[in-house]
Amino acid sequence: MKSSDPILLVEDDRIDVLNVKRGFKDIHAENPLYVAENGEVALEFLRNSQNPKPALILLDLNMPRMNGLEFLRILKNDPGWRLIPVIVLTTSQEDQDRRHSFELSAAGYIVKPLDYDNFVKILQTIYQYWLLSQSFEGG
Amino acid sequence: MASDICRVLLVDDDEDDYIMTRDFLSEAEQLTFKLDWVDSYPEGLAAIAQNQHDVYLLDFRLGKEDGLELLQAALKLGCTKPIILLTGVGDHDIDQKAMATGASDYLVKGNTLSATLLERSILHAMERKRGEIRQAQLMAELATANQELKDFAYIVSHDLKAPLRGIASLAVWLLKDYGDRLDENGKEMLQLIDGRVRRMGDLIDGVLQYSRVGRVRDEKTNVDLNQVVAAVKDAIAPPVGLEILVDSELPIVFVEKTRIQQVFQNLISNAVKYMGKPEGQIRIGHTTDNGFWQFFVSDTGIGIEERHFEKVFQIFQTLAPRDQSESTGVGLAIVKKIVELYGGRVWVTSQVGHSSTFFFTLPQTLEDRDV
C-alpha cells in the first residue's frame, strides 16, 4: 500500500468513524479515507466505477442492514475484490466471530480498545504494517 | 381419588386376557378403571393415535406384529401416556428391551399376576410418566435459559461496550481540544468520566469472563499444575521483595487447562494485590485427602475479616472502596464457579493484618458437573 492509496472504512457508529479519522490525523496518515455506514453501502461504493478501489478495508462487524461478516462473504467471493485486504475492527471478543472472520480470509482481527490513546497506537501499528506490505494491484 | 376415572386401553389378541384384565381392574381399590379392548396391531395404533386413554396395556403377541413394535410406533407418534407391556413367562430379553425402548413397565402374565399388582403397576407407570414429562419440560426450559444466557453475553460484549467507547473517546477529545477553556474543576470532571468509563468497561469484561466459564468449553487434557503455576508466576511478574514459593510437587490433573490456569492466576494475583506491603511471601501447595486434592494459596498480606469470608466469593463484591480499587470483584467468583464445576469446594481462612489462605479441592477422579 502506498501513502496515497484509498482506504475504505465500513462503520456505522459516528464516534467510531471520528475515532479513525482523528486517529489517522494523529498518526499523519494522508490516505484518502472513505466511509460506508454498513455492508450494503460499502458494496455500492465498490460497485460504482467512479470510486477508486480501496487498497485496504477496515471493517466493523456489528452494523445494521448488512453486517460485517455478510459483507466479507460477498467481498471474498468476488474475483474483482477478493484480494483487497480486510481488517476487522470490532468490539466482539466472541470466538465465533473471530473464527468466521478468518474463515472468510480477514487479514486481521482487532478488538477496539476502550480508550482513544490505545486505539491510536493500534491504528499506527496496522497502518505502518500495510505501508510496508506490497499489495498485488498497483504494487 | 375414587371419583377419578382412569381410561385403559388393552391391545391383546386373546379374549381370555381381556376378561382377566377386566376382572382385575374391577377389583381395583384406588382408582375406577374404564377398560377398552382392541385385538390387533392396526386397531391398537389407531386408538393410540386418538390419544383418548390414560394408559396402554400391550400384549407382546399381536399376530404378525408384536407389542414391542407397537410400543415403538406409539412413541414415534409422540405418545405421552404410559405404556405397559404384557409378556409371557420367561421372556426376560423382551422385558429388558421393552424398558430400554421406553415402556413404563412390563408385567408377566400368568399365576403371579394379580389385581393388586396390575393396579399398582398402572398407578406407578402414570406417576413415573408425569415425572418424565415434567423433567422433559424442565430440561427444555433449561436449554432455553442457557441459550438466552449465551445470547445475552453476546449482546453485552457487542452492544453495551460500543456506546461506552464513544463516551470515553468524547471525554478524551473534550479534554484535548477544549482543555484550555476549562478550569481545573471542569477538567477533573472529565477525568472522573474517564475513570467511570474504564470501570464500567472492566465490569462488562468481568461479566463476560464470568459467564464464559459455563459457556465456553475446552478439551480436557492432563495438565501438570507445576507448569501452570510456573507460567502464572511468570505472567504476574511479582514485585521484587515478594516471594512466591511452591511447597509441594503438584499433581497432574485432567481438566481444561485455561480454566485451572484462571484459578491459580486469580488466587495468586489476588495474593499479590492484597499484600499491602513491599515485602511478603506467597506459598502454594497441596495435600491429599479422602479422594480429593486440597490446594492452598497462602499469603502474608492484609488479611480478611471473618465476616467477609463468604462475601469475597460473590461476584462484584470487593472490600476496598470502589474508587480506590482497581479490582472488579470477579476473580474469586470465577475461581468459585470453576472449582464447583469440577465438583470441588473453595474457602478462605485468615488472620487480619497477618495472612490469608485460600483453599480449594478437586476430586482426584474428575468428573464434570454440568449437563
Side-chain angles (χ1 to χ4, degrees):
Chain A
M1 186 176 79
K2 293 192 297 286
S3 59
S4 57
D5 284 339
I7 294 175
L8 175 63
L9 170 67
V10 192
E11 170 66 76
D12 65 315
D13 186 315
R14 244 185 82 201
I15 298 180
D16 280 338
V17 171
L18 283 177
N19 245 321
V20 174
K21 282 188 174 166
R22 210 182 149 105
F24 266 49
K25 206 181 279 168
D26 282 356
I27 63 172
H28 309 294
E30 278 157 17
N31 303 55
L33 183 69
Y34 296 87
V35 180
E37 68 210 35
N38 62 53
E40 270 181 20
V41 178
L43 287 178
E44 278 167 34
F45 176 88
L46 291 169
R47 282 191 192 115
N48 187 340
S49 55
Q50 306 277 300
N51 293 323
K53 189 169 167 179
L56 184 67
I57 296 177
L58 303 175
L59 178 67
D60 183 28
L61 289 188
N62 195 23
M63 291 178 294
R65 298 177 72 87
M66 182 190 285
N67 70 35
L69 290 174
E70 289 167 317
F71 168 78
L72 197 53
R73 183 164 294 121
I74 294 170
L75 188 88
K76 291 296 176 184
N77 276 314
D78 188 296
W81 300 333
R82 70 197 314 166
L83 296 179
I84 307 173
V86 178
I87 295 167
V88 173
L89 266 184
T90 178
T91 38
S92 168
Q93 316 217 20
E94 290 295 308
D95 291 343
Q96 50 185 10
D97 283 337
R98 246 188 299 245
R99 200 185 62 234
H100 286 149
S101 298
F102 286 114
E103 275 169 1
L104 292 169
S105 309
Y109 190 100
I110 310 284
V111 176
K112 298 176 198 169
L114 207 55
D115 66 277
Y116 174 74
D117 290 340
N118 271 336
F119 180 72
V120 173
K121 280 184 203 150
I122 289 171
L123 207 58
Q124 179 148 35
T125 309
I126 297 174
Y127 182 69
Q128 281 179 344
Y129 172 81
W130 286 102
L131 268 192
L132 277 176
S133 173
Q134 304 262 333
S135 27
F136 177 66
E137 274 135 321
Chain B
M1 284 296 278
S3 62
D4 284 353
I5 292 180
C6 176
R7 293 153 306 169
V8 181
L9 177 75
L10 173 69
V11 188
D12 195 323
D13 61 355
D14 185 342
E15 187 170 5
D16 289 344
D17 282 351
Y18 163 62
I19 291 165
M20 180 193 69
T21 309
R22 188 193 60 193
D23 291 350
F24 279 165
L25 291 180
S26 70
E27 291 172 33
E29 286 165 359
Q30 297 191 45
L31 281 180
T32 309
F33 289 99
K34 184 180 172 302
L35 179 67
D36 294 320
W37 170 47
V38 295
D39 65 357
S40 73
Y41 176 100
E43 279 178 284
L45 192 58
I48 290 171
Q50 305 248 321
N51 191 22
Q52 299 201 330
H53 296 86
D54 300 308
V55 61
Y56 301 101
L57 303 175
L58 313 184
D59 188 25
F60 180 67
R61 277 170 234 287
L62 289 171
K64 66 178 183 351
E65 284 97 354
D66 65 39
L68 265 184
E69 290 170 283
L70 183 51
L71 169 66
Q72 280 161 350
L75 291 174
K76 217 170 170 184
L77 277 179
C79 174
T80 55
K81 299 294 164 56
I83 297 175
I84 299 169
L85 208 70
L86 303 170
T87 60
V89 181
D91 288 339
H92 294 302
D93 287 353
I94 296 166
D95 298 340
Q96 286 187 351
K97 240 187 244 165
M99 295 307 282
T101 308
S104 294
D105 202 357
Y106 64 88
L107 287 169
V108 180
K109 293 188 292 189
N111 294 336
T112 53
L113 189 58
S114 67
T116 329
L117 199 58
L118 179 60
E119 185 186 13
R120 199 190 295 161
S121 171
I122 291 176
L123 284 172
H124 284 177
M126 294 204 305
E127 208 163 286
R128 221 172 7 243
K129 199 76 195 179
R130 273 195 291 271
E132 279 169 28
I133 289 170
R134 180 84 195 114
Q135 196 178 4
Q137 274 171 352
L138 287 174
M139 290 300 288
E141 282 168 24
L142 192 66
T144 315
N146 270 336
Q147 187 56 46
E148 279 170 2
L149 199 65
K150 283 183 190 174
D151 296 346
F152 178 72
Y154 190 78
I155 290 166
V156 168
S157 83
H158 272 94
D159 299 354
L160 255 51
K161 273 197 132 177
L164 198 61
R165 235 188 20 263
I167 296 170
S169 298
L170 291 173
V172 171
W173 298 340
L174 268 174
L175 202 58
K176 279 190 179 155
D177 297 355
Y178 300 94
D180 54 351
R181 272 171 266 177
L182 288 170
D183 61 11
E184 284 311 307
N185 216 347
K187 284 185 200 165
E188 195 194 338
M189 284 180 193
L190 283 176
Q191 269 149 12
L192 284 172
I193 290 179
D194 192 52
R196 292 305 189 279
V197 164
R198 271 168 220 270
R199 176 153 196 91
M200 182 79 195
D202 290 344
L203 288 173
I204 292 174
D205 285 342
V207 173
L208 274 176
Q209 279 169 19
Y210 184 76
S211 82
R212 260 178 100 83
V213 171
R215 229 161 19 100
V216 180
R217 316 303 311 273
D218 283 335
E219 188 119 7
K220 286 193 204 170
T221 52
N222 282 315
V223 179
D224 183 346
L225 294 183
N226 299 292
Q227 286 174 12
V228 167
V229 169
V232 168
K233 254 169 78 174
D234 274 357
I236 289 177
V240 197
L242 226 163
E243 246 186 322
I244 301 184
L245 301 168
V246 183
D247 276 0
S248 57
E249 170 86 17
L250 301 173
I252 292 173
V253 294
F254 188 67
V255 288
E256 286 143 288
K257 192 175 176 190
T258 47
R259 280 189 177 173
I260 200 70
Q261 209 156 4
Q262 254 180 312
V263 170
F264 280 104
Q265 163 91 34
N266 289 345
L267 289 178
I268 297 171
S269 63
N270 258 18
V272 172
K273 201 187 295 173
Y274 297 107
M275 192 54 76
K277 50 184 178 282
E279 286 182 3
Q281 207 176 58
I282 296 167
R283 308 188 82 92
I284 300 150
H286 86 294
T287 54
T288 310
D289 178 36
N290 222 350
F292 282 85
W293 287 298
Q294 183 175 311
F295 301 92
F296 65 84
V297 175
S298 74
D299 63 65
T300 54
I302 57 174
I304 303 164
E305 286 174 69
E306 190 170 348
R307 63 194 173 100
H308 298 311
F309 281 3
E310 296 281 330
K311 210 181 195 175
V312 292
F313 293 105
Q314 290 167 16
I315 191 166
F316 294 156
Q317 294 293 329
T318 59
L319 300 177
R322 277 164 211 278
D323 280 357
Q324 295 164 25
S325 162
E326 290 203 351
S327 117
T328 49
V330 177
L332 288 177
I334 289 177
V335 168
K336 183 176 158 76
K337 198 171 171 186
I338 293 173
V339 168
E340 288 180 354
L341 214 55
Y342 285 133
R345 238 158 42 81
V346 58
W347 69 97
V348 61
T349 61
S350 178
Q351 265 187 297
V352 176
H354 267 274
S355 64
S356 304
T357 305
F358 284 84
F359 294 94
F360 69 94
T361 63
L362 291 178
Q364 289 181 297
T365 49
L366 270 170
E367 280 173 62
D368 220 329
R369 279 291 184 81
D370 30 2
V371 196

